[in-house]
Amino acid sequence: MDRLLQVVSDVMRVRPDKRIGFIYVGDGPMFDVWKQQSAELGMTDACLFAGRQNDVVPYYHAADLLVHAAERESFGNAIVEAMACGIPVVASAALGPKETIVDNETGRLVALDDFAGFTEAVLGYVDDPLMTQLHGHNARAHVDTAYNVVRQSKEFADHIARFL
């Protein structure tokens, strides 16, 4: 998270003419540290630390992009939720994101610990709103196809039937 705040700072610095914001939804022991770091980077006005939320949909709707840099991630509900809301995702190429994101179609996969790559990927979306919109549309269609409840229920039933 501390590296992602640096990515946001870098993006804001190289695109001062763009309206860049950052929303963190969640809590945990590092919450206040990250909030302080954003202040030290001069981003108090650009960062919202919303804390733990029961309803995250309004935050997805307020976003143009989800950036997710976990080094280890299995499925990644936040990634699929964002994609279901029509938001492209820039994520580390950990196992879960590699299974859910179609690179350069529904978002971007970045090598683990390649924060210059994260900055470059975010700038790609900042600089190209049409690509952002297209990848968001593709993300929504991908989730509708790959993770719809009817298809998953059928696959689960077929899996169970093999053991009956």
Side-chain angles (χ1 to χ4, degrees):
M1 180 63 187
D2 56 331
R3 298 290 301 272
L4 282 183
L5 287 170
Q6 186 60 56
V7 167
V8 174
S9 177
D10 292 346
V11 169
M12 290 175 63
R13 180 179 39 77
V14 299
R15 296 296 185 273
D17 58 319
K18 301 286 185 173
R19 189 169 162 252
I20 308 293
F22 174 82
I23 302 172
Y24 177 79
V25 178
D27 56 12
M30 298 296 291
F31 184 85
D32 290 330
V33 172
W34 295 329
K35 197 171 178 179
Q36 178 61 37
Q37 182 184 357
S38 75
E40 289 168 4
L41 290 168
M43 300 189 311
T44 304
D45 292 340
C47 293
L48 170 64
F49 288 84
R52 181 173 168 69
Q53 300 293 317
N54 291 325
D55 182 9
V56 295
V57 173
Y59 294 94
Y60 288 127
H61 288 169
D64 295 316
L65 181 67
L66 176 76
V67 182
H68 193 282
E71 294 174 354
R72 292 182 305 263
E73 181 69 64
S74 56
F75 179 70
N77 282 337
I79 290 171
V80 176
E81 289 170 351
M83 291 170 60
C85 290
I87 301 170
V89 178
V90 172
S92 57
L95 292 177
K98 285 191 334 188
E99 292 178 15
T100 54
I101 297 167
V102 181
D103 195 30
N104 289 317
E105 290 183 30
T106 66
R108 292 286 313 277
L109 292 168
V110 179
L112 294 173
D113 293 325
D114 179 5
F115 287 91
F118 271 95
T119 300
E120 179 184 322
V122 171
L123 284 169
Y125 287 107
V126 167
D127 292 340
D128 192 345
L130 291 177
M131 181 180 72
T132 304
Q133 188 177 26
L134 175 63
H135 285 191
H137 175 77
N138 292 347
R140 172 68 191 252
H142 177 65
V143 168
D144 285 348
T145 301
Y147 303 107
N148 79 59
V149 69
V150 173
R151 185 185 70 76
Q152 287 190 330
S153 297
K154 182 178 179 339
E155 287 178 7
F156 186 64
D158 291 345
H159 178 73
I160 291 173
R162 293 187 309 183
F163 298 101
L164 297 178

